Amino acid sequence: MAPEEVLGEADDAFPDYGPARRCVATFAVLPKAELLRCVVAPDGSLVPDLDGKLPGRGLYVTPDRAAIETALKKRAFAKAAKRSVQVPDDWADRLAGLIAVRCGSLLGLARRAGQAVIGYDQAESWIRAGRAALLVQACDAAAGGRSKLSSLFAAARAQSGRPSRPENPGREWSLLTAAELAAPFGRDHLVHVALSSGGLALRLDAEFARLSRLRADG
């Protein structure tokens, strides 16, 4: 068998998405981009390969809490790897933590690139000007301030009449705490961040989508 099983017949089923792989938990054949690649480290521990570049045979799992819990219960990673694999019971929580940090790094990068503003007033200004492609608000902040920007953002998107595009997703996410959201900007507390359209908004939207499927309260 090749280092990673390529499902030729499944490739034909997803011509627009590239190669397909089989989830070790559900056995569903899905586009590779929709699955999380993992590898087994030399010490037998399971390592999530968030960038899909780590050496070794890839094991693929649907990146949501239900599928991961099924994989743990069935020892699916060990069966697929045909060897002993060490996977802690809180692996899904650890993975969510890694992705949350990744989201924070992308937010910081967007701010340094001039593609993000922070704080209520600046976020509101970008929304009114039609510059906000993504709105990020702290999940543990007071509902009042969050709902005002949420309503304004939704109204601005509707008024523009422009459909969401990959580089301009037009979505709102509230998955990070105020402390998590503040950390990339060197602050202790932050509630509102707005991002302009572009590659960073696209990457961040994809990571938040993945995080939403892993957070227990997501």
Side-chain angles (χ1 to χ4, degrees):
M1 179 181 291
E4 293 186 14
E5 179 187 9
V6 178
L7 303 168
E9 63 275 13
D11 292 348
D12 296 334
F14 305 106
D16 297 330
Y17 298 95
R21 297 291 187 271
R22 191 182 305 278
C23 172
V24 300
T26 66
F27 304 112
V29 176
L30 296 169
K32 186 178 175 180
E34 295 182 11
L35 296 168
L36 173 68
R37 183 178 188 267
C38 309
V39 297
V40 182
D43 64 359
S45 60
L46 186 70
V47 179
D49 183 11
L50 298 181
D51 289 316
K53 297 179 180 178
L54 292 177
R57 181 189 176 191
L59 306 175
Y60 291 83
V61 65
T62 303
D64 64 41
R65 183 167 292 270
I68 290 173
E69 290 178 351
T70 296
L72 295 180
K73 183 178 180 180
K74 294 183 176 180
R75 300 182 63 253
F77 292 110
K79 292 176 181 177
K82 296 182 173 60
R83 59 166 293 182
S84 175
V85 179
Q86 301 170 24
V87 190
D89 292 338
D90 63 347
W91 196 79
D93 292 322
R94 297 187 189 192
L95 177 60
L98 290 175
I99 296 175
V101 170
R102 191 179 179 88
C103 289
S105 298
L106 288 171
L107 285 167
L109 184 59
R111 178 69 188 279
R112 293 191 293 274
Q115 297 178 27
V117 293
I118 63 176
Y120 185 97
D121 291 340
Q122 292 190 71
E124 180 187 27
S125 177
W126 270 31
I127 292 171
R128 292 189 183 279
R131 294 186 63 187
L134 208 64
L135 177 63
V136 184
Q137 302 197 83
C139 61
D140 57 347
R146 286 172 50 192
S147 63
K148 289 180 182 178
L149 277 189
S150 294
S151 298
L152 182 63
F153 185 57
R157 298 297 300 181
Q159 186 176 7
S160 71
R162 293 175 296 182
S164 296
R165 304 186 305 276
E167 71 277 8
N168 190 348
R171 276 200 285 252
E172 176 186 348
W173 294 103
S174 296
L175 294 168
L176 302 181
T177 66
E180 289 175 321
L181 194 56
F185 304 102
R187 298 190 172 199
D188 296 325
H189 186 274
L190 182 63
V191 176
H192 315 285
V193 180
L195 287 87
S196 60
S197 63
L200 287 173
L202 171 61
R203 290 171 59 191
L204 190 58
D205 185 63
E207 293 298 340
F208 274 131
R210 188 152 60 169
L211 181 60
S212 71
R213 300 171 69 183
L214 288 165
R215 284 255 158 121
D217 55 355

